[in-house]
Amino acid sequence: VTGTRDHWEQVYRDKGETEVSWHQPRSERSLRLIRATAGPTDPVIDVGGGASRLVDDLLAAGYEDITVLDISATSLARSRARLGALADRATWIAADVTAWRPERTWRVWHDRAVFHFLTEIADQDAYVAALARATAPGAMVVIATFAPDGPAMCSGLPVVRWDSAALARRLGDGFRLTGSEREEHVTPWGSVQRFVYTVLERR
Ligand SMILES: C[S@@+](CC[C@H](N)C(=O)[O-])C[C@H]1O[C@@H](n2cnc3c(N)ncnc32)[C@H](O)[C@@H]1O
């Protein structure tokens, strides 16, 4: 997506961890959803994971095969610095998910607040193509987006707000909707953002 890398590199260069709206001290809901389906030996990828602490939480829970992908190399460097020696236990990929050709599969695909930035159908299709290559039947997909009553913008960029049924339709017949949870995310400065966590299974 044109301009996307520069935008995110600037965000992560200019702002501290608690200066971005999406920051969570712990990724409680994501971890609970993942643990409900996948065990520590199941490979997990956090797409657009950025500087999220989900990787810390997964490592602490004993997950052995964790990958974090993000368009911003700076965000990944931040997470690696935070984790210190533990960082070598995860795999780090700097890539635009819409231009990425996965070379392996994961049991769990997790995305919090990344797909919702894809406002063009062609980019959404490219994301779904990467998702399909990166998963096998039975894989679990968790995609958290702003809800229909959530904000229209994130990080100064327009987003598409989704409910789970519409998101499942957009992903197509290859994915079956298995769950949906709403979340009122409280930003570091105390405002509320309504998210939907959509859970699907690869057919
Ligand atoms: C709102 S942040 C959410 C970060 C993280 N998932 C979390 O919950 O803390 C969006 C993230 O998606 C990344 N991103 C945006 N567009 C991307 C793309 N096309 N490919 C890969 N990552 C992307 C950004 O660099 C940023 O880290």
Side-chain angles (χ1 to χ4, degrees):
V1 189
T2 318
T4 303
R5 177 170 285 111
D6 291 343
H7 172 85
W8 290 105
E9 284 291 45
Q10 194 178 342
V11 165
Y12 285 106
R13 274 199 305 265
D14 293 354
K15 291 182 192 275
E17 188 177 32
T18 57
E19 291 175 322
V20 295
S21 59
W22 55 91
H23 172 70
Q24 296 178 297
R26 308 217 68 79
S27 305
E28 275 168 33
R29 184 177 309 268
S30 298
L31 188 64
R32 176 169 56 69
L33 289 169
I34 292 168
R35 290 182 94 163
T37 301
T41 57
D42 287 322
V44 179
I45 182 164
D46 190 15
V47 174
S52 163
R53 291 177 177 245
L54 177 60
V55 58
D56 309 41
D57 293 340
L58 288 167
L59 285 168
Y63 283 78
E64 294 163 8
D65 185 350
I66 308 164
T67 302
V68 184
L69 175 143
D70 203 279
I71 198 168
S72 162
T74 303
S75 73
L76 300 178
R78 262 240 209 130
S79 279
R80 296 190 66 135
R82 183 183 69 238
L83 285 162
L86 277 179
D88 291 340
R89 295 207 202 157
T91 302
W92 307 88
I93 301 176
D96 177 342
V97 63
T98 64
W100 175 56
R101 283 186 63 88
E103 301 292 341
R104 56 165 291 191
T105 60
W106 287 265
R107 175 79 213 298
V108 177
W109 171 288
H110 175 272
D111 158 351
R112 176 172 178 269
V114 185
F115 183 77
H116 73 185
F117 288 109
L118 304 178
T119 57
E120 302 289 331
I121 297 292
D123 291 329
Q124 295 172 3
D125 287 346
Y127 177 106
V128 176
L131 168 61
R133 277 183 71 96
T135 52
M140 176 205 200
V141 181
V142 179
I143 300 180
T145 63
F146 281 169
D149 55 353
M153 310 266 290
C154 181
S155 188
L157 300 173
V159 302
V160 181
R161 292 170 287 183
W162 295 93
D163 63 46
S164 291
L167 180 56
R169 279 196 302 276
R170 183 72 269 265
L171 297 189
D173 290 342
F175 300 89
R176 182 175 71 88
L177 180 62
T178 58
S180 178
E181 293 188 10
R182 287 175 59 91
E183 179 173 75
E184 299 213 333
H185 167 63
V186 181
T187 68
W189 45 92
S191 58
V192 169
Q193 298 182 326
R194 296 194 173 88
F195 274 80
V196 175
Y197 286 65
T198 299
V199 186
L200 308 106
E201 187 188 275
R202 174 85 196 270
R203 288 190 214 269

